[in-house]
């Protein structure tokens, strides 16, 4: 999207993708703020992917700073500091804190909304309230579900009188919620936010309806909810293991328990626990997407990190200094191991699989070439090659289908002999068919090391079956 914003100079409300075939590629999507901001950096410094990653790093660093501030507000300065350390070390936070995705921006907006609203409650600054609304609405535009997992702790910030001391009774909190419902300001804040979010997604739906291109937000094609997975114990076991290893690096779990035990009766503790409750509800509502896409669990860090920081403070008070240092070193070792095995090694594998082909396409093909990426629904190759075209599976290849694509403007077939999608092996019969296609075309390019190919359609004999 960022490259298309840059090249086409389109406004933010007209996002385009690479896999739209011969069409303009306008797509139904979440609010494309991150790629649009990246495109503005492209205008200043040129088309370099590291600019998008750098933007994520900046937002990630700001989020850690805000988590430290939230820990100070909810508990104390020491807990805030160690909470920031816990977030900075979490493998999932490190990976998505430098990836070319909107997750780092989303976490920043969520943390900024909590901090701004806390400032509004303590100082009654109208600017803080306005910023709280802006960041909350932006977070919901980016992903929708923050309306719940961020809205619940924001509600608790609003009704909680004291955060570092024992919270009021449930009856008083319930009464404050009822009083809030009678306040016109609450309805203005929440109603305008929901209206803005609904307005964008209505516009996005119309884009998708007119172009036929969508990331699958509505209808039977969506992959978000699944009651069968909610009732499946294996799904919950996998999610628990993922959170324990990639968010809590295992060794933070006792500290999290300590923090919850110490703070669950305080105002700050209940705000953090409210955020975790909101995340649980969102996980249930989007169970299929949550089991597939691990970044759905990323916001958990906003609420576990301050609690871990509090647990760390308690651990330091009752243990020797060497013990806390050893625990920190162990956490770093676990985090680096997870990052190396689960993320960096996979990135290197992906780079070896696709970059020779992507660089060849960038270097040898005209900018207006249209590719048929034989990678199923995975647009990675098109993105890396900075090209536009179609996504199909190897099973869909036939003489008739290739002729249709050629008539629509396709110039080349591109893909891998061994990968059906990025990391799923291709059946042997499909491998053999693709190798025959490449061998029958005198203009085909094949990289033997990565086992990828680039086949000109107009130079290929028209009998691939």
């Amino acid at each position: 999207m960022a490259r298309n914003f840059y090249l086409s100079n389109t406004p933010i409300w007209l996002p385009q993708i690479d896999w739209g075939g011969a069409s303009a590629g306008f797509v139904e999507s979440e609010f494309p703020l991150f790629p649009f901001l990246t495109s503005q950096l492209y205008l200043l410094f040129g088309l370099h992917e590291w600019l998008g990653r750098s933007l994520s790093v900046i937002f990630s660093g700001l989020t850690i700073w805000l988590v430290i501030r939230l820990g100070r507000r909810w508990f104390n300065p020491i807990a805030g500091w160690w909470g920031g350390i816990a977030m900075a070390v979490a493998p999932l936070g490190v990976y998505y804190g430098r990836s070319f995705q909107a997750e780092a921006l989303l976490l920043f907006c969520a943390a900024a909304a909590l901090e701004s609203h806390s400032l509004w409650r303590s100082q009654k600054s109208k600017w803080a309230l306005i910023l709280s609304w802006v960041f909350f609405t932006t977070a919901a535009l980016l992903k929708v579900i923050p309306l719940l997992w961020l809205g619940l702790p924001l509600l608790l910030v609003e009704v909680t009188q004291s955060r570092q001391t024992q919270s009021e009774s449930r009856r008083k909190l319930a009464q404050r919620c009822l009083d809030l419902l009678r306040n016109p300001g609450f309805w203005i804040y929440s109603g305008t936010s929901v209206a803005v979010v609904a307005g964008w997604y209505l516009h996005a739906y119309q884009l998708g309806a007119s172009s036929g291109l969508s990331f699958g937000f509505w209808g039977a094609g969506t992959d978000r909810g699944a009651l069968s997975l909610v009732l499946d114990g294996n799904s919950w076991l996998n999610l628990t293991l993922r959170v324990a290893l990639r968010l809590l690096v295992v060794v933070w779990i006792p500290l999290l328990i300590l923090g919850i035990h110490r703070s669950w009766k305080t105002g700050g503790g209940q705000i953090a626990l409210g955020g975790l409750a909101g995340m649980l509800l969102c996980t249930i509502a989007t169970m299929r997407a949550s089991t597939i896409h691990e970044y759905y669990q990323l916001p958990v860090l906003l609420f576990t990190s301050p609690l871990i920081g509090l647990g760390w403070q308690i651990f330091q008070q009752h243990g020797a200094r060497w013990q806390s240092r050893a625990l920190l070193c162990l956490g770093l070792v676990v985090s680096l191991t997870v990052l190396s095995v689960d993320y960096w090694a996979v990135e290197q594998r992906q780079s070896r699989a696709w970059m020779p082909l992507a660089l060849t396409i960038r270097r040898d093909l005209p900018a207006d070439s249209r590719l048929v990426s034989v990678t199923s629904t995975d647009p990675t190759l098109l993105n890396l090659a900075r090209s536009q075209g179609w996504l199909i599976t190897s099973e869909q290849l036939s003489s008739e289908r290739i002729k249709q694509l050629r008539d629509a403007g396709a110039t080349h077939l591109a893909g891998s002999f061994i990968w059906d999608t990025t990391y799923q092996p291709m059946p042997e019969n499909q491998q053999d068919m693709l190798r025959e296609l490449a061998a029958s075309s005198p203009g085909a390019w094949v990289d033997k090391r990565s086992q990828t190919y680039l086949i000109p359609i107009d130079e290929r004999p028209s009998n691939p079956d």
Side-chain angles (χ1 to χ4, degrees):
M1 281 190 189
R3 180 170 52 83
N4 283 306
F5 278 130
Y6 166 67
L7 295 175
S8 303
N9 195 29
T10 49
I12 193 171
W13 56 86
L14 291 177
Q16 296 171 275
I17 39 78
D18 291 327
W19 37 271
S23 70
F26 296 121
V27 65
E28 176 193 29
S29 75
E30 294 150 336
F31 190 63
L33 179 59
F34 181 81
F36 184 79
L37 292 176
T38 304
S39 71
Q40 303 311 296
L41 294 179
Y42 287 170
L43 291 173
L44 295 174
F45 304 105
L47 185 58
H48 305 288
E49 279 80 4
W50 61 264
L51 289 170
R53 293 183 178 272
S54 299
L55 199 58
S56 287
V57 170
I58 292 171
F59 285 127
S60 181
L62 291 173
T63 302
I64 293 172
W65 172 69
L66 287 169
V67 165
I68 292 173
R69 289 183 61 87
L70 290 173
R72 293 178 62 181
R73 286 187 182 279
W74 295 347
F75 306 123
N76 57 68
I78 297 177
W81 169 256
W82 286 112
I85 296 296
M87 184 165 188
V89 170
L92 202 65
V94 173
Y95 178 76
Y96 285 101
R98 32 76 70 189
S99 66
F100 204 119
Q101 294 179 239
E103 271 56 44
L105 175 58
L106 172 65
L107 287 197
F108 166 73
C109 289
L114 289 167
E115 173 64 16
S116 299
H117 210 83
S118 298
L119 191 61
W120 150 252
R121 289 291 292 139
S122 62
Q123 299 183 11
K124 295 300 179 182
S125 168
K126 292 182 179 180
W127 282 109
L129 181 61
I130 292 172
L131 286 175
S132 168
W133 182 90
V134 168
F135 286 121
F136 173 61
T137 304
T138 302
L141 284 168
L142 292 172
K143 290 293 177 180
V144 180
I145 56 176
L147 286 173
L148 180 56
W149 65 252
L150 180 56
L152 184 56
L154 280 175
L155 175 64
L156 292 172
V157 170
E158 179 66 27
V159 300
T160 300
Q161 289 290 91
S162 177
R163 297 165 184 78
Q164 297 184 7
T165 59
Q166 186 167 349
S167 64
E168 298 174 309
S169 66
R170 294 179 181 177
R171 178 176 296 181
K172 286 187 176 181
L173 285 177
Q175 184 59 50
R176 290 185 183 279
C177 289
L178 290 175
D179 293 340
L180 186 62
L181 292 176
R182 300 188 188 101
N183 188 336
F186 168 78
W187 295 106
I188 294 173
Y189 183 104
S190 57
T192 54
S193 182
V194 170
V196 169
V197 174
W200 167 257
Y201 282 94
L202 176 60
H203 166 69
Y205 174 78
Q206 293 172 342
L207 273 182
S210 61
S211 68
L213 302 172
S214 172
F215 284 98
F217 294 122
W218 316 108
T222 181
D223 68 344
R224 282 165 171 74
L227 180 60
S228 61
L229 291 178
V230 174
L231 302 176
D232 183 9
N234 288 329
S235 298
W236 289 106
L237 177 61
N238 291 334
L239 282 175
T240 300
L241 293 175
R242 180 189 295 172
V243 169
L245 185 61
R246 297 181 178 180
L247 290 175
L248 304 178
V249 292
V250 180
V251 296
W252 298 162
I253 295 176
L255 302 181
L256 176 62
I257 295 172
L258 275 177
I260 293 174
H261 181 265
R262 175 64 65 89
S263 67
W264 71 278
K265 290 186 177 180
T266 67
Q270 291 188 353
I271 293 171
L273 292 174
L276 292 178
M279 283 299 306
L280 177 61
L281 293 174
C282 286
T283 299
I284 294 173
T286 61
M287 193 64 180
R288 184 180 299 278
S290 294
T291 55
I292 296 174
H293 307 297
E294 62 182 359
Y295 52 77
Y296 272 64
Q297 288 85 61
L298 196 57
V300 168
L301 285 173
L302 294 177
F303 310 108
T304 57
S305 296
L307 291 168
I308 291 170
L310 181 61
W312 201 305
Q313 181 189 16
I314 298 170
F315 180 75
Q316 282 185 315
Q317 292 173 348
H318 295 85
R321 179 174 296 182
W322 69 268
Q323 292 176 327
S324 60
R325 291 178 177 176
L327 190 64
L328 177 59
C329 291
L330 182 59
L332 288 170
V333 169
V334 173
S335 178
L336 289 173
T337 301
V338 173
L339 284 166
S340 299
V341 174
D342 288 351
Y343 296 107
W344 295 333
V346 173
E347 281 189 337
Q348 292 176 1
R349 180 182 178 183
Q350 183 183 35
S351 178
R352 290 193 299 268
W354 296 120
M355 283 311 295
L357 175 57
L359 292 175
T360 298
I361 293 171
R362 290 188 199 178
R363 182 186 65 244
D364 296 344
L365 297 189
D368 59 351
S369 297
R370 298 277 178 165
L371 304 181
V372 180
S373 180
V374 190
T375 53
S376 186
T377 58
D378 186 352
T380 298
L381 175 58
L382 290 177
N383 294 337
L384 292 175
R386 300 177 182 175
S387 296
Q388 294 181 321
W390 294 260
L391 295 176
I392 66 172
T393 66
S394 57
E395 295 179 350
Q396 294 175 316
L397 281 178
S398 65
S399 297
E400 181 180 355
R401 181 60 175 152
I402 291 177
K403 182 179 184 302
Q404 291 174 351
L405 292 168
R406 181 171 61 237
D407 292 343
T411 59
H412 295 75
L413 296 175
S416 168
F417 291 125
I418 57 178
W419 301 113
D420 192 25
T421 57
T422 305
Y423 304 118
Q424 295 182 4
M426 182 179 295
E428 290 188 7
N429 63 322
Q430 300 298 323
Q431 293 186 33
D432 295 340
M433 182 268 292
L434 286 169
R435 292 183 191 278
E436 290 179 7
L437 283 177
S440 66
S441 175
W445 175 92
V446 174
D447 184 76
K448 294 183 179 180
R449 183 175 181 181
S450 64
Q451 290 296 295
T452 52
Y453 59 85
L454 181 65
I455 304 174
I457 289 179
D458 52 358
E459 296 181 11
R460 192 197 59 74
S462 56
N463 187 25
D465 296 326

